[in-house]
Amino acid sequence: MSPRTPASSSTPRVCMITGPTSGLGQAIALALAKQRLQLVLVGRSREKLADIAARCVALGAPEPVCLVADMAVQADVRRAAAEFLATGLPLHVLLHNAGIVNQHRRITVDDIEETFAVHYVSSFLLTLLLVEKLVDSKPAMIIHTASDIYPRGKLDLDDVRAARGFNPLGAYAKSKLALVNMTRMLAERLAPHGVSVHAYNPGMNYTNLGLSNNPGFVRPVADFFWSRIASPVEDGIGVPVALATGPDLAASTGKLYMRGELAEMTA
């Protein structure tokens, strides 16, 4: 899929991206900046947000709105949503990109296993808080970052703390399965309101996912091998960039893209 310029350059399309300061999120933000979209960047580090915002402006984009929030903390998600709504901007694209992989189980302040909290709970909460704005801004779109590992996930909503057993890939697969299921559910419910919902798997791209938050001797070893088998991060952004810049955000809904190709939702 190749990106296209938004229909009207006089009124920039507004796109919110979570996790835009590194990896896929950063590459997507820079690509959309070249298309002159109005970006809303949600991340944990004020300094890193300021840096990526400056790079977006240098590429010709309007000054991005930067919202400091930890997507593992529901209070932060609520505050970021409120701060965005206070700007009065419309919202045409909500791109859930923030991600995490933990070597060991971590529990958030909201008593939820962190992988599940960041990938699924925060995405659902942020969408819920902004859904009226998306509808008011229609046509609009929600994009979820999925993974081809999602069919291996096993959902147990009675154990959101993963107290019955934790392993990194299992937790990751569970959270992505929940995300794909949410894509299907939201697509059905929001279609009548002019909001489409899609999910995509970018493939194996060289990012710091699973590295930056797992210090120790494992990190340099993992980074050594990961850097040699993973593809450049730019290879994974074609689908979200094309979706976010397409001429009709509500032309279709409920699609799952796996490494650039349409796929059936199998779970």
Side-chain angles (χ1 to χ4, degrees), residues 228-265:
R228 283 155 177 77
I229 64 174
S231 63
V233 68
E234 290 76 16
D235 291 354
I237 68 171
V239 167
V241 171
L243 289 173
T245 58
D248 187 353
L249 292 174
S252 64
T253 192
K255 303 296 185 183
L256 174 64
Y257 296 87
M258 286 289 163
R259 302 174 189 255
E261 302 293 333
L262 279 172
E264 293 293 326
M265 294 186 186

Side-chain angles (χ1 to χ4, degrees), residues 4 11 22 33 100 143 152 160 172 178 191 205 214 247 259:
R4 292 161 291 206
T11 55
S22 66
I100 191 171
I143 305 173
R152 296 172 56 185
V160 295
Y172 188 78
N205 307 112
N214 291 297
R259 302 174 189 255

Side-chain angles (χ1 to χ4, degrees), residues 28-50:
I28 292 169
L30 295 175
L32 295 182
K34 294 177 182 178
Q35 300 290 323
R36 308 296 196 270
L37 270 67
Q38 171 65 66
L39 299 177
V40 181
L41 308 176
V42 185
R44 292 181 295 177
S45 168
R46 188 178 304 277
E47 292 74 21
K48 290 181 179 180
L49 286 172

Side-chain angles (χ1 to χ4, degrees), residues 13-262:
R13 185 171 287 178
V14 179
C15 176
M16 179 182 290
I17 307 172
T18 65
T21 59
S22 66
L24 286 166
Q26 182 182 97
I28 292 169
L30 295 175
L32 295 182
K34 294 177 182 178
Q35 300 290 323
R36 308 296 196 270
L37 270 67
Q38 171 65 66
L39 299 177
V40 181
L41 308 176
V42 185
R44 292 181 295 177
S45 168
R46 188 178 304 277
E47 292 74 21
K48 290 181 179 180
L49 286 172
D51 177 71
I52 188 65
R55 294 173 65 184
C56 289
V57 171
L59 291 170
E63 182 72 36
V65 175
C66 294
L67 304 174
V68 180
D70 185 340
M71 297 305 288
V73 179
Q74 292 181 33
D76 276 18
V77 176
R78 293 181 182 277
R79 176 176 47 75
E83 289 177 0
F84 170 73
L85 292 174
T87 68
L89 287 169
L91 182 59
H92 304 106
V93 180
L94 174 56
L95 202 165
H96 294 290
N97 168 79
I100 191 171
V101 175
N102 289 331
Q103 293 177 20
H104 306 287
R105 187 177 71 129
R106 298 177 184 171
I107 304 301
T108 70
V109 296
D110 302 299
D111 208 31
I112 301 171
E113 189 274 315
E114 191 175 40
T115 312
F116 196 71
V118 171
H119 291 159
Y120 176 71
V121 176
S122 69
S123 296
F124 182 80
L125 178 59
L126 188 59
T127 296
L128 183 65
L129 295 169
L130 298 178
V131 68
E132 290 187 11
K133 177 62 69 173
L134 286 161
V135 172
D136 289 344
S137 307
K138 65 184 178 183
M141 178 182 291
I142 300 167
I143 305 173
H144 295 136
T145 305
S147 169
D148 54 9
I149 200 176
Y150 84 90
R152 296 172 56 185
K154 296 181 180 180
L155 278 177
D156 184 356
L157 297 181
D158 293 323
D159 186 26
V160 295
R161 300 181 78 254
R164 296 172 188 157
F166 173 86
N167 70 77
L169 287 181
Y172 188 78
K174 179 175 76 170
S175 68
K176 294 303 184 179
L177 172 61
L179 207 59
V180 170
N181 286 341
M182 182 168 66
T183 299
R184 181 189 293 111
M185 180 271 291
L186 288 177
E188 294 174 354
R189 297 193 180 190
L190 294 178
H193 304 285
V195 179
S196 63
V197 190
H198 303 288
Y200 83 103
N201 165 44
M204 293 178 59
N205 307 112
Y206 180 55
T207 72
N208 65 355
L209 182 68
L211 298 175
S212 61
N213 60 313
N214 291 297
F217 74 92
V218 174
R219 177 176 175 176
V221 175
D223 184 56
F224 176 83
F225 288 104
W226 186 234
S227 65
R228 283 155 177 77
I229 64 174
S231 63
V233 68
E234 290 76 16
D235 291 354
I237 68 171
V239 167
V241 171
L243 289 173
T245 58
D248 187 353
L249 292 174
S252 64
T253 192
K255 303 296 185 183
L256 174 64
Y257 296 87
M258 286 289 163
R259 302 174 189 255
E261 302 293 333
L262 279 172

